[in-house]
Amino acid sequence: MAKTLHRLVKAVVVTAIAAVVGLLTTVPSSADVTPFVVGGTRATISEYPWTVYLASTSGSQFCGGTLVKGNKVVTAAHCVSGRSAASTRVVWGREDKQSTAGITASVTRIWVHPSYTSASSGSDVAVLTLDRSITSAYLPLATPSDTALYAAGTSTTILGWGTTSSGGSASRYLLKATVPVTSDATCRTAYSNYSSTSMVCAGYPQGGTDTCQGDSGGPIVAGGKLIGATSWGRGCALAGYPGVYARVATYYDLLTTQINS
Ligand code: ARG
C-alpha cells in the first residue's frame, strides 16, 4: 500500500518535472528576451542628439532616422517608399516615446533612391525634408574615402526604438548596442544577395546583439560618422546572420545632393 502510494507520488512528480521541462524548452531563451535593441542598453538623447524616429500622424513610431542637417533626415527607403510626406512625422529629442519631449516635425518631401525596389536588393536609402530646421548637432555622412570605417572588426554603435527580440514588442526607450563590422566574405556566406557596394553587415559571429524590426532607417555609427542605415537581416541577433545596413559611403554624392537641395 505504502509502496503503491510512493510509486504514484513518484509518477506524478516525474510527470510534473517533464511538463515543466517541456514548457521551458518552448519558452524563448534568455538571449531572445533581453529587453533592449537586441542585447543593448539605454542611450541618452543628449549623447545621440541626431537620432530621430519616424512616426505616423497618430504618433506611432515605425522606423528610425538620422538628422544630417537641420532640416534633413537620412532613413531607409523601405521605411518611406510609397508613403506620403503628409502622413509622416519626424520626432527629434524624445528618448522616451511615451513622453512629449523634443520636437515633432512634419515632412515636406520624401526622396527615395531611384533604384530602390526592396531592402535586400540594395539602394535602401531615402532623405526626408522637414518643415523646419532643428537646432541640434547632426551627424556627418561617411564618405567614399572612409574605407577604414567599413573594415571588418570596426566597432560601431547601432541605435533605435525597435523590437527587443524578433517578433517582440518595440522599445519604449532609445536603445544602443555595440557591434563589429563583418567582413564581406562572412556576410556573403550568410546572405547570397549581399552586395558589398550597396550594403555593410555588422554583428558578432555568435549573434545576441542586433538591430531588429522598427530600428530600420536608424543609424549605424563609426568614427563619429553615419556609415549605414538599418536595412534588413534574417530574424534578429541570430548566430551567423548579421544585421545588414545600407552603405552610406556608396551613396555619399547622391545623398549630399539631396541634403543640400
Ligand atoms: N527591416 C527591419 C525594419 O524595418 C530591420 C531589420 C534589421 N534586422 C536585423 N537583423 N538587423 O525595421
Side-chain angles (χ1 to χ4, degrees), residues 90-114:
V90 167
V91 179
W92 170 87
R94 189 173 304 165
E95 197 176 307
D96 174 2
K97 289 193 287 198
Q98 289 179 25
S99 79
T100 54
I103 293 170
T104 301
S106 290
V107 173
T108 57
R109 197 170 97 86
I110 295 176
W111 173 87
V112 171
H113 190 296

Side-chain angles (χ1 to χ4, degrees), residues 189-207:
T189 301
Y191 304 114
S192 57
N193 55 332
Y194 171 70
S195 156
S196 60
T197 53
S198 60
M199 305 166 194
V200 59
C201 291
Y204 294 101
Q206 72 275 21

Side-chain angles (χ1 to χ4, degrees), residues 125-212:
V125 286
V127 176
L128 312 181
T129 303
L130 310 182
D131 67 343
R132 70 197 78 190
S133 185
I134 296 173
T135 307
S136 160
Y138 48 82
L139 197 63
L141 305 183
T143 76
S145 40
D146 284 322
T147 51
L149 300 181
Y150 293 92
T154 299
S155 177
T156 74
T157 303
I158 50 175
L159 291 143
W161 287 263
T163 64
T164 53
S165 65
S166 189
S169 51
S171 174
R172 169 176 171 179
Y173 302 102
L174 174 62
L175 303 173
K176 66 169 175 183
T178 301
V179 280
V181 169
T182 306
S183 73
D184 288 336
T186 299
C187 204
R188 188 162 288 109
T189 301
Y191 304 114
S192 57
N193 55 332
Y194 171 70
S195 156
S196 60
T197 53
S198 60
M199 305 166 194
V200 59
C201 291
Y204 294 101
Q206 72 275 21
T209 310
D210 199 4
T211 46
C212 206

Side-chain angles (χ1 to χ4, degrees), residues 37-38 61-64 76 78-79 119 124 158 162-163 166 191 202 209-218 230-238 241-245:
V37 169
V38 176
Q61 180 262 332
F62 62 88
C63 267
H78 82 261
C79 286
D124 194 12
I158 50 175
T163 64
S166 189
Y191 304 114
T209 310
D210 199 4
T211 46
C212 206
Q213 277 69 47
D215 289 322
S216 278
T230 302
S231 185
W232 60 282
R234 177 177 161 195
C236 301
L238 296 175
Y241 293 95
V244 190
Y245 301 81

Side-chain angles (χ1 to χ4, degrees), residues 33-61:
V33 294
T34 307
F36 306 117
V37 169
V38 176
T41 55
R42 282 200 48 190
T44 62
I45 275 291
S46 54
E47 214 185 334
Y48 304 97
W50 27 258
T51 309
V52 300
Y53 69 78
L54 313 189
S56 63
T57 48
S58 64
S60 101
Q61 180 262 332

